[in-house]
Amino acid sequence: MASEEQDPEGLAAARPLLTDLYQVTMALGYWKAGRAREPAVFELFFRSSPFGGAFVLAAGLRDCVRFLQAFRLRDADVQYLASVLPPDTDPAFFEHLRTVDCSGVTVRALPEGSIAFPGVPLLQVSGPLLVAQLLETPLLSLLSYASLIATNAARLRLIAGPQKRLLEMGLRRAQGPDGGLTASTYSYLGGFDGTSNVLAGQLRGVPVAGTLAHSFVTSFSGAEVPPDPILTPASGPGPKVDLASRVDMWLERVCAQLGLGVQEPHKGERAAFVAYALAFPRAFQGLLDSYSVRRSGLPNFLAVALALGDLGYRAVGVRLDSGDLLQQAQHIRGVFQTLAAQFQAPWLESVLIAVSNNIDEKELARLAQEGSEVNLIGIGTNVVTCPRQPSLGCVYKLVSVADQPRMKLTEDPEKQTLPGSKSAFRLLDASGAPLMDLLQLAKEPAPQAGQELRVWLRGAQQPCSVCPDSVEPLLRVYFQQGQLCETLPPLAESRAFAQRSLGQLRPEHLRLQQPAEYKVVLSEQLRTLVERLRSEAPV
């Protein structure tokens, strides 16, 4: 495994042998046929948008570029391949593999965070046939899941709206550690505000957040004595206070105000809150549902928060993890407002209310509705596992060899490919909203704003005309002849770009349920090539 110096992003799992064996057997076939160095072009794309939506958020490019920069078969890799290929394989093939790298590879791609549509390449790989073939599985692995996660996160952000904070907290539910790191990274790109995943913070710069779990609360019985219960005022020197004693004083007042009966809130829970407050006086938060929210968690939290308030500290939030989250949040906000007035503590009104508990799109819409008092929503399983559609289904198809177009003609029309190395353009209206994406052969001149174009929908019998107000090239060269030729922006910048891109889509394409289909059209030259290759194929 690569060292941390060679692999600062923790991507050691994305190595050349993270591939399917048939990539290696094809490589041997190309080499044996004398075709290993023939120039080839592959395109990576998806056939249909996930989750019943109309778009995908392109993600994973930064991982692909790092992988390409480091791509080299080590001696141990070659020795292993020799052990799984037939024993009579020519040793010269393995010597060739030792020389393989990406120095002859060029990659054009959609920028990280771009809106993408079916059939439009996320990535175009040009290079020696053998090398470009070996890149297929790793690149699919790096792009497909990242784009799926980013798209899922973008949908959740659209449902939540711009004001609610979203926290990804699904590491323990993710498909292994690599899946967890990818999910934390690209849910942030898709619009989440942060993650509970500390490694994603360290390696990728994703903002991290977290509070406490029920185990912390239930570990206390109430008999524990803090070794140092004394707290200094937030403003600096001043009378020190025994926090536990001050909490007991406030608890009596809170319970009286809330009209609670003779049953005292749970002592162990209160001891846990005091311990947490002593550790984090400037960031105290309470998890309220270890026992009863109304009879125990809420009064215990209020007692600690108000005791801290006497010393100039401000509690930052509470979290709910069970029950009717919307209803409980409304009740808690009402209590905060009432006691803020009763105890002259105006800061209490705006204490953040966070919720979690297997939240899906439907529940998120409920929590985000107008009048909701929920401020932060933590989502785990339903963002990192994408249960509505666990795979994007990206494919990596050969479109040109030795400057000759190649096309897959198959019994299933949906699986037929578009031949030739291509360029892609987004045609925009006067407001800057996308009208359609145009695929054309790379040798064709770029379309011009204000110029009427004759274009073809796939499968259409007649062309249509379009006159764009502006034209945006989609594919940019990021990696050329083994060198990074355009610096990838920081993750936070790609996140902002993704949100701007989503904001440009028309509402009918942005709808999450039954959206209008976005048009991807072919130039006349590309359609003519498709029809010619079809006619030349054996019947």
Side-chain angles (χ1 to χ4, degrees), residues 231-246:
L231 197 58
T232 301
S235 57
K240 297 182 178 181
V241 172
D242 183 316
L243 183 63
S245 297
R246 183 64 61 94

Side-chain angles (χ1 to χ4, degrees), residues 186 231 396:
Y186 293 107
L231 197 58
Y396 182 91

